[in-house]
Amino acid sequence: MFSSIKLAAFIFTLAAPVQSWQTEVHCQIGFMAEHFLHETATNMIARILEPQYNGSIGRAAGWADGVRRTPHPYSYGWHYISARDNPPDDCGLYYHRDCQAGGCVVQQISNQTNILKQCIADLGDNKYPTELKCSEALKWVVHFIGDVAQPLHTSERSYGGNSIKVKFNGTDTNLHSVWDKEILYAETGVNPFPADEIHPYFTNLVSRIVKDEFRSPTSGWSLCDLDANRGTYCAEQWAKDSNSIVCDYAYGRYVNGSDLWTGPEKYADGALHIIEEQMAKGAFRLAGWLNALATSTMGSAHVSNQRLVKQISR
Ligand SMILES: *[C@@H]1O[C@H](CO)[C@@H](O)[C@H](O)[C@H]1NC(C)=O
Ligand SMILES: *[C@@H]1O[C@H](CO)[C@@H](O)[C@H](O)[C@H]1NC(C)=O
Ligand SMILES: *[C@@H]1O[C@H](CO)[C@@H](O)[C@H](O)[C@H]1NC(C)=O
Ligand SMILES: *[C@@H]1O[C@H](CO)[C@@H](O)[C@H](O)[C@H]1NC(C)=O
């Protein structure tokens, strides 16, 4: 049976342009997270990643985009979740209703975390995980915790905004692409960001996290005590958080026909604050997640989740 969801996914596969934070933006989110890692997590990462990444989750964060069509086409839909919402009138996301056939970002954060947990347990027993699946699970977790913070990765409408045609500074593009990269590039004047080291713009976001200077306090960002033993729970909370922005701003403030860069609504300026906070949340959650996994599984002194959050937000 060829369901309409599968058909939609098929058309999407053919028609979709790039649709994920731009690849180097994923790298930057990874480099930001590195600032908040415990030594135990840093060691775990260095032992699990293939040598070419030199122990850096920033460098490894783009891998998932490169394998999406080949050699791992089954991972194509893992970068998003198609909430059956109707923005801007109605947003809402439920994992059991919305995770599309073939898997979604919420499910895969959980699935790949489970694989990674076993890999880390093997490290603790001094078994070196030579299996590629361990490095791949880590690379997927790193990438997907970034993706789930991008609001338009959590909404079904028009394939996450990919088929909403918009103008940005006079150029034809689509709403998804505007959120992935156009706003960031235009506002910062940087294009592209480096894929091998942190850019000063992102170093500045790191210090804003440390000083707790975002509109919502960092202490509320984990939404789930970073408890990796609760299956899809944490990833679902992160997806719901992103999905609310789809109604509040992505579509809520969008005016059809108005240029999103030059228009009087100043859409891009307002969205930038949200995009910065979402990228910061992605980095903060990613570090906390890897810290929790490494410290609870690797036999070092156990650090409570509460303390983890405090340590990384200081
Ligand atoms: C690899 O990482 C180490 C430790 O972080 C650093 O000192 C070294 O310069 C890095 N090497 C390369 C080639 O990036
Ligand atoms: C994810 O994990 C669940 C539970 O272990 C399993 O049933 C499912 O097949 C996995 N899905 C994918 C796409 O890996
Ligand atoms: C917008 O377009 C104008 C005219 O093509 C160009 O000069 C300007 O640099 C563009 N601005 C941005 C932020 O891309
Ligand atoms: C925007 O307006 C055009 C022309 O009126 C219309 O064809 C299109 O469906 C509208 N797009 C959205 C997303 O409402």
Side-chain angles (χ1 to χ4, degrees), residues 157 164 254 256:
R157 182 176 168 191
I164 305 267
Y254 156 80
N256 191 1

Side-chain angles (χ1 to χ4, degrees), residues 128-149:
Y128 195 92
T130 49
E131 285 179 279
L132 194 55
K133 72 166 188 193
C134 294
S135 178
E136 296 192 340
L138 176 55
K139 289 186 284 187
W140 263 315
V141 167
V142 167
H143 190 90
F144 294 153
I145 292 181
D147 271 337
V148 79

Side-chain angles (χ1 to χ4, degrees), residues 45 50 67 142 188 193 200 260 266 291:
I45 291 162
E50 298 120 286
V67 300
V142 167
T188 61
F193 289 94
L260 298 187
K266 299 200 179 302
N291 287 342

Side-chain angles (χ1 to χ4, degrees), residues 157-158 163-166 175 251 254-257:
R157 182 176 168 191
S158 306
S163 63
I164 305 267
K165 294 190 171 73
V166 302
L175 191 61
Y251 288 96
Y254 156 80
V255 176
N256 191 1

Side-chain angles (χ1 to χ4, degrees), residues 31 34 37 42-60 135 138-139 196:
F31 292 126
E34 288 173 6
L37 291 173
T42 305
N43 290 339
M44 174 273 280
I45 291 162
R47 289 174 67 188
I48 287 183
L49 283 181
E50 298 120 286
Q52 72 203 75
Y53 300 107
N54 196 29
S56 164
I57 49 171
R59 291 187 181 186
S135 178
L138 176 55
K139 289 186 284 187
D196 59 350

Side-chain angles (χ1 to χ4, degrees), residues 61-84:
W63 170 84
D65 281 337
V67 300
R68 204 171 164 181
R69 287 173 194 279
T70 172
H72 301 314
Y74 53 85
S75 74
Y76 195 87
W78 292 359
H79 296 241
Y80 56 89
I81 178 167
S82 292
R84 313 291 196 271

